[in-house]
Amino acid sequence: MAEITPLNLKGCKVYKGYLDKSAQHSLLGDVRSIVGKAPLFSPMTPWGKPMSVKMTSAGKYGWYSDKTGYRYSTQHPNGVEWPEIPLTILKIWNELCPDSPRPECCLVNFYQDGAKMGLHQDKDEKDFSHPVLSISLGDDALFRMGGVQKNDSTESVWLSSGDILVMGGESRLAYHGIDRVKFGSSQLLKAAGRINLTLRVVD
Ligand code: SIN
Ligand code: MN
């Protein structure tokens, strides 16, 4: 599985088909166990609207947002600590980011019912020399990648179940987002939807 040569999307590495069907199903089991302990919720944007993507996290830190802004928190909004990041997920990080310290957050994004994610930078972490790794499961999604300035030109790629993306180096602080999901395009989940797992070093 680790033999795939990545595509280069504006400096971001895209490993198409990195996870086979059985690896995808096993990850899905891990996601179900995370969600069983730390239920999905809809974070509020700082401007008071719930995000269309539902989220939860595993690891020392979970990503959180409310009217006071975006941040990492050591607790789920229900007050409990986040579950540990499953070993199968850490193994993927070690394969593709072997020189980086262990990730401290595995954000779980769940796209349903027309959910999408606007262009943004991942910049709530302390050290941008560490990459961000993102895993796609379920329905296909149109991923847009830009540059470090919001109005830089962008390029898009369809991400399918089992694809992995690594944003490091020049692409670490690049704007990116999900324009749309082709709901029902994958049979991995029982119902239409897409899961994205994002691994990051926070401290
Ligand atoms: C994100 O940038 O937080 C999510 C990207 C994705 O869903 O693929
Ligand atoms: Mn992001």
Side-chain angles (χ1 to χ4, degrees):
M1 285 202 295
E3 298 301 315
I4 296 172
T5 309
L7 308 175
N8 182 339
L9 179 73
K10 295 180 83 70
C12 161
K13 291 179 184 162
V14 185
Y15 295 85
K16 296 292 294 174
Y18 191 82
L19 301 170
D20 63 19
K21 276 273 152 5
S22 101
Q24 293 171 38
H25 279 286
S26 128
L27 270 191
L28 200 54
D30 287 327
V31 173
R32 290 203 174 104
S33 115
I34 294 171
V35 171
K37 294 174 193 148
L40 291 161
F41 58 94
S42 302
M44 279 288 177
T45 58
W47 40 97
K49 270 184 68 178
M51 294 181 71
S52 63
V53 180
K54 291 202 177 98
M55 296 184 183
T56 189
S57 293
K60 179 176 173 191
Y61 296 109
W63 191 82
Y64 188 69
S65 170
D66 62 14
K67 60 180 184 309
T68 68
Y70 302 133
R71 62 189 175 278
Y72 283 100
S73 159
T74 55
Q75 291 178 346
H76 186 278
N78 71 9
V80 301
E81 288 189 357
W82 307 99
E84 288 197 4
I85 303 178
L87 288 177
T88 43
I89 297 178
L90 291 174
K91 185 170 164 277
I92 296 168
W93 174 272
N94 290 337
E95 284 169 8
L96 293 176
C97 307
D99 302 323
S100 305
R102 210 174 234 263
E104 294 152 321
C105 176
C106 173
L107 174 68
V108 179
N109 287 316
F110 186 45
Y111 296 76
Q112 256 185 326
D113 300 330
K116 54 191 177 176
M117 190 174 291
L119 273 186
H120 65 277
Q121 292 171 293
D122 286 13
K123 56 174 187 187
D124 300 317
E125 301 74 33
K126 293 211 174 97
D127 184 344
F128 302 129
S129 68
H130 305 309
V132 172
L133 183 151
S134 128
I135 304 171
S136 292
L137 293 172
D139 290 339
D140 295 347
L142 189 57
F143 177 80
R144 184 192 291 268
M145 184 78 190
V148 291
Q149 305 296 331
K150 194 151 192 191
N151 57 359
D152 284 345
S153 67
T154 64
E155 280 177 35
S156 297
V157 70
W158 280 98
L159 295 177
S160 304
S161 198
D163 292 353
I164 296 189
L165 196 141
V166 178
M167 291 190 286
E170 54 170 307
S171 69
R172 174 62 181 79
L173 283 172
Y175 277 86
H176 59 278
I178 295 290
D179 286 344
R180 66 191 168 96
V181 175
K182 233 186 251 171
F183 288 100
S185 54
S186 158
Q187 306 308 310
L188 188 78
L189 311 179
K190 283 194 202 94
R194 170 175 186 264
I195 295 167
N196 166 260
L197 305 174
T198 304
L199 296 168
R200 303 190 193 101
V201 179
V202 175
D203 278 337

